[in-house]
């Protein structure tokens, strides 16, 4: 039996003592006072840590008997370590080398590293399987939300059809603030940086790469396909203006940066882009730095999980769950099945999906502009649900024209927008976002 | 290794072929065509079913080689059965006898039966532990929402402080409809019955017993205490009028029947009652027959799960997850730890919790009524945040007076309300509901 109490402790090494690592040290150290020891079946003992600077004040207390070193590969190989916890980050370099070393040495690995999994998840899962050890990564997607376990275990009697998520707290904070404070993008980005939600170089978050990494992991878990990190549509939130926020709100929608994966026949579509959601949907109400994942599956039509997607404590909560699974003997293959049985992704054709679209044009106020727009849309067989002229500035001679289309495909829309752009009636590049049905 | 593919099938018996049982038969039968077989590590084979009427059309196809009988205890004991799935329902009688028989025979049990667990969960968990078999019950609370696994596994590095849930779809449907359609309780109950959301005898749902059973299970999982099904405060939704719906909406709240468990020192409070939630909170937006659970824990401050809490397919999804856990060798103690290590619940004192309260009085329009109300409130040290007179009917001479109190305890409020009731200024019994902070 696996979860009869063992007396042998499970020995943990943590590589990386940033926010998450420090929270995890505190979580493990306080387990007894918080009454949690009986749940883990056997004692969990922190035996080694690895970070660059030993003397930095992290608000944690480490026992003097603990191995401290600055070489992650060394503690990944240390003979007294059962579980190697990788909190270093990055898809290459020491994080990858150390995780591979730990798996090769027959040690369980727990990681929060979405970039590593997006790039090398298939190979690492195969290695873990070959060595008969766990490779757990709950914390890699949506922080403290148990989305990995939900897809890998709780929904595994289902064939999911769509997974969508608000997976980047920085972007969601910026979009929420743009709406709440009526502030432009740049001001909100700066505020996010001052609050520590955004990095000095925000590219990774706001251009959608972080969401794409996380989405590729969710896609594998949901559809049983190998990780395929080349997301077909990848767009961030830089181009969103306050005009977009206001116009979409007036139409009854809210803009969210969504990662969406869906099955279309035997193909899979993965996209990351700003998307309009109906204002009254629960997922559209998820504000600030909070994350959310919505899963549609054949027997469970709509399951929504909402919670903290980042931060030291919530992420440590997910890492701890992965460790306690190992302590309890709950060993499962990294993606719930053998990598050898998981097909590679056949990416869906760009025109396989239809959406209604929101389009905003900044139109130079000349006669015939509406007619030009309508004509080029009609040439691509795009019919219009509504067309509104928004707040014309007479001084600039520029009018904001807002369209909502009936269902069409991205290629058809982009052909129409290119033709309209070439007609020299627009002051700026047209803005367009798809409207997702729930 | 546990989840290397086994070739030996896991043999399942299902007792009870209502909606959930029929959906489960379809789920298992279609697993191959839905591409799910690789996930379960080994084949899952339905070898026996048990229901009263063999000839009823349930929309399912059963193989002719399958054992069919009307004796659940017989299939619980059948030598070719590995997992006994109990979908009969009820805390006593054949459901209990058959589950005990299966556990005693060393078979794994999967059940959706909250009444059975609320009444006998401690003893059944101890028996499963003694026999070294699984007793899985994901489907017993909130249907297809994976709340059991989330509390038992995903949050087990946390010490939760509060769990609250919308756990009864019938009540939530009625309350949502009362608000949306401006209809009284009786009309909405009838509509719920016509739609199949409510039983002919709706007592079990609308008086809160169903919510109480589910809450007692969540309490055990969250706080690591033995099941204690004597909920201290148990109130249903019968007394809620359309006046309450309208008045609370005007105040910025929405009424939900909530089960709430919280830790107060070394005691636990469990309550089921109509509760006011801030209108803009995500959980307050959960409408219709949908369920939701919100967990506050020390490392994961706020995790919300929303989805279908009943119905054949969603519930079958949860039962299937429990079965696949067994097929994959994911064996865990029923409550995640030994029953012998789980303390009994020390119920919290009634005055240990303070809330703001909403109170509605139907006041006979006599001079001095406001003064009488305010005086009796003051005598219990209850100060008032707001007091509004709502829509007086001049013909009846009755005015609706709506109060919101500052924080007070239930015993103090009830003393004040009793004194006001005895002052002969009210046309009907006063209505009161607590306001929960999020």
């Amino acid at each position: 039996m696996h979860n009869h109490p063992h007396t042998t402790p499970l020995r943990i090494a943590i590589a990386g003592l940033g926010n998450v690592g420090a929270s995890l040290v505190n979580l493990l150290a306080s387990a007894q006072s918080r009454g949690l020891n009986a749940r883990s079946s056997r004692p969990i003992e922190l035996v080694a840590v690895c970070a660059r600077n030993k003397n930095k004040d992290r608000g944690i207390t480490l026992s003097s008997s603990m191995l401290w070193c600055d070489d992650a590969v060394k503690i990944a190989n240390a003979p007294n370590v059962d579980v190697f916890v990788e909190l270093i980050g990055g898809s290459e370099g020491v994080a990858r080398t150390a995780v591979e070393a730990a798996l090769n040495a027959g040690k369980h690995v727990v990681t929060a590293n979405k970039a590593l999994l997006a790039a090398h998840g298939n190979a690492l899962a195969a290695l873990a399987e070959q060595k008969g050890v766990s490779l757990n990564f709950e914390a890699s997607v949506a922080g403290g939300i148990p989305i990995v376990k939900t897809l890998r275990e709780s929904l595994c009697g289902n064939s999911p059809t769509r997974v969508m998520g608000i997976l980047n707290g920085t972007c969601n904070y910026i979009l929420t603030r743009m709406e709440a404070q009526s502030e432009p993008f740049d001001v909100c980005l700066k505020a996010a940086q001052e609050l520590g939600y955004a990095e000095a170089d925000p590219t990774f978050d706001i251009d959608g790469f972080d969401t794409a990494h996380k989405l590729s992991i969710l896609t594998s878990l949901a559809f049983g396909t190998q990780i395929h990190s080349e997301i077909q549509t990848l767009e961030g939130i830089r181009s969103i203006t306050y005009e977009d926020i206001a116009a979409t709100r007036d139409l009854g929608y809210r803009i969210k940066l969504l990662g969406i994966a869906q099955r279309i026949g035997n193909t899979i579509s993965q996209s990351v882009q700003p998307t309009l959601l109906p204002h009254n949907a629960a997922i559209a109400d998820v504000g600030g730095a909070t994350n959310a994942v919505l899963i549609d599956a054949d027997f469970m039509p709509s399951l929504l999980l909402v919670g903290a997607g980042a931060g030291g404590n919530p992420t440590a909560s997910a890492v701890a769950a992965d460790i306690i699974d190992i302590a309890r003997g709950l060993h499962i293959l990294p993606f719930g099945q053998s990598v050898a049985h998981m097909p590679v992704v056949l990416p869906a054709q760009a025109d396989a999906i239809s959406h209604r679209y929101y389009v905003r044009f900044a139109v130079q106020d000349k006669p015939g502009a509406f007619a030009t727009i309508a004509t080029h849309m009609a040439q691509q067989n795009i019919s219009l649900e509504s067309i509104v002229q928004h707040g014309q500035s007479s001084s600039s001679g520029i009018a904001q024209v807002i369209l909502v289309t009936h269902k069409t495909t991205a290629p058809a829309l982009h052909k129409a927008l290119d033709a309209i752009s070439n007609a020299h009636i627009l002051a700026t590049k047209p803005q367009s976002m798809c409207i997702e049905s729930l």
Side-chain angles (χ1 to χ4, degrees), chain A residues 17 47-56 58 60 62-71 74-75:
Chain A
L17 284 182
V47 296
V49 291
C50 166
R52 268 170 291 186
N53 182 350
K54 188 168 179 176
N55 297 316
K56 188 173 167 186
R58 298 177 170 91
I60 59 176
L62 295 169
S63 95
S64 56
S65 65
M66 195 178 301
L67 173 64
W68 176 293
C69 77
D70 56 8
D71 181 353
K74 190 174 162 197
I75 68 167

Side-chain angles (χ1 to χ4, degrees), chain A residues 117-396:
Chain A
L117 289 160
H120 306 294
N122 300 322
L124 293 174
L127 179 57
E129 184 176 349
Q130 181 202 326
K131 296 290 178 176
V133 293
S134 290
L135 168 63
N136 289 347
F137 49 88
E138 183 64 80
S140 68
V141 184
I145 300 176
I147 185 60
V148 170
K149 196 177 264 272
T150 294
L151 287 169
R152 192 185 58 195
E153 298 164 34
S154 300
L155 291 176
C156 64
N158 286 266
S159 181
T161 50
R162 182 176 65 176
V163 180
M164 65 168 76
I166 298 170
L167 300 172
N168 184 274
T170 308
C171 290
N172 207 45
Y173 175 81
I174 291 172
L175 292 172
T176 305
R177 185 173 173 129
M178 284 176 78
E179 180 179 347
Q181 316 269 54
S182 306
E183 288 174 352
F185 175 79
D186 289 341
V187 172
C188 296
L189 170 59
K190 202 162 186 186
Q193 286 169 324
E194 280 162 11
L195 286 164
Y197 289 149
E199 306 285 331
D201 176 1
T203 301
F204 190 67
D205 290 318
I206 67 176
D207 291 333
F209 298 107
D210 175 72
T211 300
H213 285 161
K214 293 168 178 168
L215 181 66
S216 72
I217 297 169
L218 295 186
T219 301
S220 276
L221 292 164
F223 302 116
T225 46
Q226 291 191 17
I227 286 194
H228 180 88
S229 57
E230 291 145 46
I231 304 294
Q232 290 149 279
T233 305
L234 177 54
E235 243 177 81
I237 62 168
R238 275 184 211 267
S239 75
I240 296 171
T241 65
Y242 180 68
E243 280 92 348
D244 293 318
I245 302 276
T248 53
R249 187 184 51 205
D250 291 351
L251 290 164
Y253 297 98
R254 193 167 263 158
I255 303 172
K256 294 290 177 191
L257 183 71
L258 287 189
I260 305 187
Q262 51 193 315
R263 188 197 293 279
I264 298 155
N266 63 345
T267 68
I268 305 275
S269 159
Q270 295 183 102
S271 71
V272 173
Q273 56 189 332
T275 304
L276 273 58
L277 291 171
H279 203 277
N280 58 358
I283 189 172
D285 266 343
V286 174
T290 305
N291 282 18
V293 184
L294 178 66
I295 307 142
D296 292 301
D298 51 358
F299 278 71
M300 181 65 188
S302 176
L303 176 64
L304 175 66
L305 283 71
V306 182
N313 282 352
T315 309
S317 164
V319 173
D322 279 349
I323 295 171
I324 298 172
D325 269 3
I326 295 168
R328 285 169 158 172
L330 299 175
H331 173 65
I332 183 166
L333 294 173
F335 290 95
Q337 59 183 310
S338 174
V339 176
H341 294 153
M342 294 164 67
V344 297
V345 165
L346 278 178
Q349 298 294 317
D351 61 0
I353 302 180
S354 293
H355 280 108
R356 294 160 64 233
Y357 278 86
Y358 156 90
V359 188
R360 179 175 56 79
F361 298 104
V363 178
Q364 289 166 347
D365 197 11
K366 292 190 213 164
F370 267 38
T372 304
I373 290 171
T375 304
H376 287 297
M377 290 289 190
Q379 278 172 2
Q380 298 301 328
N381 284 314
I382 301 170
S383 56
L384 305 181
E385 185 181 295
S386 70
I387 177 161
V388 195
Q389 182 165 327
H390 241 249
Q392 182 184 350
S393 152
S394 56
S395 61
S396 66

